Amino acid sequence: MAKGRKKSPEPEVVNRRARHEYFIEDTLEVGVALVGSEVKSIREGKCSLAEGYVRAQLEPLRLDLHGVHIHEYPPAAGHNHIPTRSRRLLAHKREIAKLARLSAQKGVTIVPLRMYFKDGWVKLEIGTARGKSHSDKRETLKERDAQRDIHRAMSKRM
């Protein structure tokens, strides 16, 4: 790399729909087992977490990511990946066991929140979540609009 040239920022894929539809109770950073063309596609920002969910199992102890769409990487031609395949998540045994026990409770699900790069590795932030009712979603929108109005009024004042 030439001197003085700045590295382009790594993309961050965020699941905005998850925060709208769920109350996020707890978060955890996990690794993702990917193939090369998937990493390159994520680096270009061509990934969708909106329909994704995580399934935790006690027997055998594993954590899987389902429903996430990572677009094919065109230069990989014959060595491309399947865009919606399930992917293995990497975490400690005690964390996987804890998530499996939590997700077994009624109304609790595990959702992917954001995918990003950390020291060259793809990381996924997942969260245990409980669903929001329609009125809860409206209340959240009202609070966000009120905060926006407050910030707008404060910025005009300064």
Side-chain angles (χ1 to χ4, degrees), residues 22-115:
Y22 299 101
F23 291 113
I24 307 300
E25 296 174 350
D26 191 24
T27 61
L28 177 68
E29 178 185 80
V30 296
V32 188
L34 299 171
V35 296
S37 60
E38 289 174 325
V39 175
K40 291 181 180 189
S41 189
I42 292 169
R43 205 173 287 275
E44 288 184 350
K46 297 186 176 178
C47 176
S48 172
L49 297 175
E51 297 84 29
Y53 63 96
V54 177
R55 181 169 288 150
Q57 298 176 348
L58 280 173
E59 285 297 324
L61 195 62
R62 70 184 288 151
L63 204 55
D64 292 315
L65 178 66
H66 299 278
V68 170
H69 190 277
I70 299 176
H71 296 272
E72 290 184 349
Y73 185 65
H79 304 289
N80 249 321
H81 59 276
I82 301 167
T84 55
R85 74 179 180 91
S86 63
R87 293 161 180 92
R88 184 106 184 251
L89 298 179
L90 311 170
H92 292 284
K93 288 180 183 179
R94 68 180 179 278
E95 293 170 339
I96 297 172
K98 178 183 171 189
L99 287 171
R101 284 191 298 274
L102 281 172
S103 66
Q105 296 175 7
K106 184 172 175 140
V108 177
T109 187
I110 307 170
V111 292
L113 300 174
R114 67 185 182 115
M115 189 178 283

